[in-house]
Amino acid sequence: GTIQVGDTMPSFSAPDDTGQLFDSERLRGNPVLIKFFRAHGDPTVSPIAAMDELEDEFRKRDIHLVTVSTDRPETIRQRRGAHGLDARMLSDRNLVVTDAFGLRNQLLHSGDPRDPEVEALPVPTTLLVDSGGKVLWMDRSENYQKRSGPEVVLAAMQRYLD
């Protein structure tokens, strides 16, 4: 089923933008903000860019930032310059990570028309996870055009981590 607040984050591994395999075990011991989104080519990706205004807030709380999208590692690498975000950006082409969290978009034809290899997309979701791996807060949007802006994420960090 879909991950819920109070659940333990599943273990996962996926290639990052350098093509290296990243293992979620490396996140243990730190709070984590995980952002699932469609793809970097998507105009709705601006929420990722908007997160860079929270960089100091992440640093202050020692939060590791992870993004998960269906993009290829090289696409992520190319587009990384579009935002200054210091995040571990993972490629989830075959939706293994998305499925581990139960966040596959179940709508028909939810794949990316520009990328026929990808059969579906994640439901845009932001998760705040504590240093022990427990989900503290979650923002999930069935309407992919609506995302939690930085102010919503900041409020969650203040409420659950301060």
Side-chain angles (χ1 to χ4, degrees):
T2 302
I3 194 154
Q4 304 292 334
V5 169
D7 288 352
T8 299
M9 176 179 79
S11 296
F12 61 88
S13 61
D16 65 14
D17 60 327
T18 67
Q20 296 290 310
L21 201 61
F22 176 79
D23 191 317
S24 63
E25 285 305 307
R26 290 166 57 185
L27 299 168
R28 296 252 176 252
N30 286 88
V32 185
L33 188 79
I34 305 179
K35 204 153 179 52
F36 287 83
F37 66 101
R38 288 158 59 91
H40 274 83
D42 195 311
T44 59
V45 82
S46 56
I48 299 291
M51 287 296 150
D52 67 6
E53 68 187 58
L54 293 179
E55 199 94 66
D56 289 342
E57 301 289 342
F58 295 140
R59 208 170 286 124
K60 207 160 70 180
R61 295 170 182 85
D62 212 10
I63 294 173
H64 288 238
L65 194 56
V66 175
T67 67
V68 180
S69 73
T70 56
D71 286 325
R72 290 184 174 84
E74 55 273 21
T75 307
I76 299 171
R77 203 163 50 248
Q78 286 158 7
R79 308 239 165 155
R80 199 181 175 111
H83 45 76
L85 208 52
D86 180 21
R88 183 64 69 158
M89 300 189 164
L90 305 180
S91 169
D92 190 29
R93 302 282 300 157
N94 47 13
L95 302 169
V96 171
V97 181
T98 299
D99 287 342
F101 284 80
L103 295 173
R104 183 188 287 239
N105 187 331
Q106 299 297 344
L107 298 175
L108 276 166
H109 311 303
S110 82
D112 187 339
R114 291 160 305 187
D115 193 350
E117 282 177 29
V118 174
E119 62 186 58
L121 293 166
V123 173
T125 305
T126 305
L127 299 156
L128 185 63
V129 179
D130 72 11
S131 55
K134 192 174 97 174
V135 177
L136 300 172
W137 172 84
M138 180 168 146
D139 181 62
R140 196 167 128 218
S141 171
E142 295 303 337
N143 173 358
Y144 71 84
Q145 278 146 343
K146 285 185 61 213
R147 299 292 161 79
S148 44
E151 64 293 335
V152 181
V153 172
L154 179 59
M157 292 190 306
Q158 289 168 334
R159 178 171 173 196
Y160 294 103
L161 297 176
D162 290 356

